[in-house]
Amino acid sequence: MLKITDAVYLTSAVSKAQFLKTGKPVIAVSGKSNVGKSSFINMLANRKKLARVSKDPGRTRMVNYFDFGSFILADLPGYGYAKVSHAEKLRWAKLMQDFFADSSNVTHVLALCDIRHPPTQDDKDMINFLYASLIPFTIVATKADKVSRSAAQNGAKLIANTFACGVDNVIITSSESRYGKEAVLDRIEGVIQLYAQNISDLSEEET
């Protein structure tokens, strides 16, 4: 089991010139505004205030980087928040386009969806983009503590059907109860191992 002992904030980027270059795998966290990204990150880190939790959606407007020891976590700006200007939405879109355009910026994406509601069009656009760009991702269903167990299972099935994946590929989580944390860490551990193997294979090819 992957252990997180000392996660720390590193830096923030508002343009592609500021994107972090690192020798570690980069796990990005995406999702619509108010899906619970900050709470999710704090759960993984065993910290209450590593990522700022705001009652106001749309507060994350940069790519925020955190060092989790064996990997770097990139907190992406939340999408789908209506109460921002058109110019701001375009700026966010350009930032994300630049981020995903370079494969060295991201190793894997944890795509968060609110288990209480059907995926939004913005959620669908995000997952379709990841599919089309051949970017590996895992779907994480958040806020399971807000619904019954049966409703959570039904929500996961709906998400899986919407995104044309098996329900086993949707990890149900709750930042409040920490349910699903181990499953997420297991998935991240697999990403880290694959990243290390790919680096090793490249080194062997060069020699």
Side-chain angles (χ1 to χ4, degrees):
M1 168 64 70
L2 179 65
K3 300 292 184 183
I4 307 298
T5 56
D6 189 24
V8 295
Y9 166 78
L10 288 177
T11 187
S12 297
V14 295
S15 68
K16 65 180 179 180
Q18 298 177 336
F19 292 149
L20 187 67
K21 299 303 178 183
T22 174
K24 298 180 180 181
V26 178
I27 310 293
V29 177
S30 72
K32 69 181 182 63
S33 297
N34 211 30
V35 75
K37 287 195 293 96
S38 295
S39 296
F40 174 76
I41 293 169
N42 289 336
M43 176 187 73
L44 293 183
N46 294 314
R47 298 270 299 276
K48 292 184 177 180
K49 297 182 179 180
L50 178 65
R52 181 180 176 183
V53 179
S54 175
K55 294 181 180 179
D56 301 320
R59 291 297 296 271
T60 303
R61 303 185 181 186
M62 304 172 285
V63 177
N64 295 315
Y65 291 97
F66 303 89
D67 190 341
F68 272 64
S70 55
F71 68 97
I72 301 298
L73 188 146
D75 180 17
L76 305 182
Y79 53 76
Y81 185 53
K83 296 182 180 180
V84 294
S85 67
H86 180 65
E88 184 71 8
K89 289 182 179 179
L90 291 178
R91 190 185 72 79
W92 291 359
K94 180 64 165 59
L95 185 66
M96 291 300 90
Q97 182 180 12
D98 289 341
F99 180 82
F100 287 114
D102 186 346
S103 61
S104 68
N105 288 329
V106 58
T107 308
H108 195 91
V109 177
L110 298 177
L112 274 54
C113 293
D114 191 329
I115 202 167
R116 301 173 298 175
H117 310 295
T120 65
Q121 185 58 52
D122 289 312
D123 290 326
K124 297 175 186 177
D125 290 343
M126 183 67 196
I127 297 301
N128 287 336
F129 173 80
L130 295 176
Y131 272 130
S133 303
L134 301 179
I135 298 171
F137 66 92
T138 297
I139 299 170
V140 177
T142 62
K143 304 191 178 185
D145 56 285
K146 307 295 185 184
V147 297
S148 66
R149 180 174 297 181
S150 62
Q153 293 296 330
N154 289 334
K157 290 178 182 178
L158 176 59
I159 291 171
N161 289 337
T162 301
F163 297 141
C165 67
V167 71
D168 290 341
N169 292 320
V170 178
I171 301 178
I172 300 174
T173 66
S174 165
S175 297
E176 290 292 326
S177 68
R178 297 179 178 269
Y179 180 82
K181 178 181 176 180
E182 291 186 0
V184 175
L185 291 177
D186 282 345
R187 183 62 56 89
I188 292 174
E189 186 173 30
V191 172
I192 294 170
Q193 291 173 349
L194 181 59
Y195 179 87
Q197 183 60 52
N198 289 340
I199 294 296
S200 176
D201 291 345
L202 287 174
S203 297
E204 291 180 1
E205 290 177 4
E206 292 175 355
T207 56

